[in-house]
Amino acid sequence: MFWIELAILLVLIAWGVRKGGVFLTLAGGIGAFIFTFVFKAPMSDPPLTVLRIILAVVIAGGAMQAAGGIEYLVALAEKILRKHPKSITILAPVVSWVFVFCCGTGHILWSLLPIINEIALENGIRPERPIAASVVSSQNAVCGTPLAAATAALVGFLEEAGSVDMIKVLMVVIPATLLGSLASGLVMMKKGKELADDPEFQRRIADGTLVLNKAPKSEIVDTSKYSKQSKLSVVFFLVAMVLIVLLGVVKPLRPVLSNGSTLGMTDIIQIFMLMAAAAICLVMDKKPDAILDMPVFRSGVFAAVITLGLCWMVNIFIGSQSAFLTETVAQFTNKYPWVFIIACYIVGNITTSQGSTTAIVIPLGLALGISTPVLLAGWVVIGSHFLIPAASESLAAIAFDTAGTTKIGKYVFNTSYLLPSLVMAAVDCAVAFLLASVII
């Protein structure tokens, strides 16, 4: 019965991915029906704590975007990149990681890519190098920031299981993803022909498709023009993040409630994110409902919707097959832990969504009794979903390279993103495993 139910689970996930968008969670609802009505599997609850965390985080991120905070962060990023233009290939992915880490969403990259392309061309650097490294780095940062929906879901699952707290998770995933992003830039330093020797670049110059600036821009980016509310929104958002981390590190700072229990970190995350959103709404000149129209909020709600149906189906499957999973499958995965890491990488490339992948692999890993170092080593590679050019960011970023050097290769798999993403995944995985083995 296990293999029949597993086959149905995989078919429904594949169907949901193929149809795309919100249908992935609807496929989860179909699975819940099949497992309960047909196979009489015991009912399991959807991960309500995880959903609450995701929604609280994206409300705060949406508030910051509505107040102009993300636009202000982009200006700061441009200021840093223009100050060191010759180091764009290494600096761009690191800056991308830092800014996605600070705002909790990869959407900030779309504003950075035209700047990265322009600086590269002005300095005779092949745009493919910093653009490809920045694209993979931005998705990697989603697995490093405590403010991303996927990371919030991971923390929620682990906190519910009582296996490890948020701070230890961050002590592993932050340095792992940062070093992986740095490695993606380093490996791209000499990737491809030099810009002046690239035939596509020469063709675009010859036919007038691309017109280069005669001299690189040297002016300092003026960040003083941004409103007080945009700057305050960033401050409120970051202060909330720092306070969350502080309360996670210094446990005596957490309040002891009237029933004798100590306030948990999942509740603290929600409280401080909502407080940050409230503070931002008090200073911004838009109505609070503007949050609902922000891309950061919409993408986060989408992650929550996916988690609702998809994870509900997975939880029902795991609950009904818990005995077989722990007695049979767990013996295999514990003997060959690398199988779980490869599975995380494959699922990440199929769904191209860290939130969806987290909802699939983490409950399964916990049910199998996968050790925490292996669990985190597998989870950090889910942002390296560039094995096939299916992710929206890998396709859209090509348009930002006006020199035509960022591309999908003749054999589909040999894209501009393959090399940096593979190197990044290897570094992420190795560092996460080593750090988790020591810390946890």
Side-chain angles (χ1 to χ4, degrees):
M1 190 61 69
F2 169 81
W3 298 109
I4 295 175
E5 290 188 17
L6 178 62
I8 292 172
L9 180 78
L10 295 176
V11 167
L12 287 170
I13 291 173
W15 186 30
V17 170
R18 183 176 179 83
K19 295 288 287 185
V22 75
F23 194 82
L24 189 53
T25 201
L26 303 182
I30 295 171
F33 170 81
I34 293 173
F35 289 144
T36 53
F37 279 75
V38 178
F39 295 106
K40 311 302 180 183
M43 177 55 69
S44 296
D45 293 328
L48 298 180
T49 300
V50 174
L51 293 173
R52 283 161 38 207
I53 293 175
I54 293 173
L55 290 175
V57 168
V58 301
I59 287 172
M64 181 174 68
Q65 188 171 37
I70 289 183
E71 186 180 355
Y72 173 61
L73 286 173
V74 170
L76 291 176
E78 181 178 5
K79 189 173 184 178
I80 294 170
L81 293 174
R82 288 201 177 278
K83 198 171 182 179
H84 307 281
K86 295 296 184 181
S87 303
I88 188 74
T89 303
I90 295 178
L91 197 56
V94 173
V95 168
S96 298
W97 184 95
V98 170
F99 280 80
V100 172
F101 177 85
C102 289
C103 68
T105 174
H107 286 291
I108 194 173
L109 181 71
W110 303 124
S111 300
L112 289 176
L113 286 178
I115 299 168
I116 293 171
N117 175 71
E118 184 178 347
I119 295 173
L121 288 176
E122 288 174 353
N123 291 273
I125 297 171
R126 184 182 180 87
E128 175 192 31
R129 297 170 181 174
I131 286 178
S134 297
V135 168
V136 301
S137 178
S138 69
Q139 294 305 302
N140 200 32
V142 172
C143 294
T145 173
L147 304 176
T151 313
L154 170 71
V155 171
F157 285 129
L158 296 180
E159 289 259 344
E160 283 186 340
S163 55
V164 63
D165 60 34
M166 183 191 74
I167 298 307
K168 288 182 179 178
V169 171
L170 295 181
M171 289 172 66
V172 172
V173 299
I174 289 176
T177 55
L178 179 56
L179 290 174
S181 297
L182 177 61
S184 72
L186 289 171
V187 77
M188 291 296 287
M189 287 292 291
K190 297 297 181 181
K191 173 74 165 55
K193 296 180 179 180
E194 295 302 322
L195 184 60
D197 301 323
D198 185 85
E200 178 61 21
F201 170 74
Q202 293 175 340
R203 183 192 68 77
R204 294 191 180 195
I205 291 291
D207 64 15
T209 304
L210 175 62
V211 178
L212 297 178
N213 294 327
K214 294 183 179 180
K217 293 181 180 179
S218 58
E219 70 269 14
I220 304 294
V221 177
D222 182 17
T223 55
S224 63
K225 64 182 181 179
Y226 289 90
S227 65
K228 184 179 180 180
Q229 69 171 15
S230 64
K231 297 175 183 178
L232 282 175
S233 70
V234 174
V235 172
F236 291 151
F237 195 82
L238 296 181
V239 166
M241 182 173 70
V242 171
L243 290 175
I244 290 170
V245 174
L246 180 63
L247 288 166
V249 174
V250 187
K251 293 184 179 180
L253 292 177
R254 303 182 199 175
V256 177
L257 307 179
S258 59
N259 61 1
S261 64
T262 301
L263 191 63
M265 283 306 301
T266 54
D267 294 313
I268 288 173
I269 294 171
Q270 295 166 61
I271 290 170
F272 278 87
M273 284 291 98
L274 292 178
M275 286 178 60
I280 293 170
C281 286
L282 291 175
V283 300
M284 72 181 187
D285 56 8
K286 297 179 181 178
K287 292 183 178 180
D289 283 354
I291 295 173
L292 306 180
D293 298 323
M294 295 298 109
V296 169
F297 177 81
R298 292 199 301 269
S299 65
V301 170
F302 174 72
V305 169
I306 293 296
T307 300
L308 174 63
L310 184 60
C311 200
W312 194 17
M313 175 178 67
V314 172
N315 284 354
I316 295 173
F317 167 75
I318 290 172
S320 66
Q321 297 294 335
S322 57
F324 185 85
L325 286 170
T326 54
E327 293 174 7
T328 307
V329 181
Q331 294 179 9
F332 178 79
T333 53
N334 287 329
K335 188 175 181 180
Y336 305 104
W338 49 267
V339 173
F340 177 76
I341 296 174
I342 293 176
C344 289
Y345 179 73
I346 293 174
V347 174
N349 276 278
I350 292 173
T351 68
T352 67
S353 164
Q354 292 92 328
S356 301
T357 305
T358 302
I360 296 170
V361 301
I362 298 303
L364 184 60
L366 291 171
L368 291 172
I370 300 293
S371 67
T372 304
V374 175
L375 192 74
L376 293 178
W379 185 78
V380 292
V381 305
I382 67 174
S384 303
H385 47 66
F386 297 92
L387 184 61
I388 54 178
S392 59
E393 55 272 6
S394 63
L395 298 172
I398 294 173
F400 288 97
D401 183 351
T402 56
T405 59
T406 305
K407 60 188 71 176
I408 295 173
K410 179 180 179 182
Y411 303 103
V412 181
F413 289 97
N414 56 329
T415 67
S416 297
Y417 314 102
L418 183 60
L419 176 62
S421 66
L422 287 175
V423 171
M424 184 178 73
V427 174
D428 283 357
C429 180
V431 174
F433 179 79
L434 291 173
L435 287 176
S437 299
V438 173
I439 295 171
I440 300 172

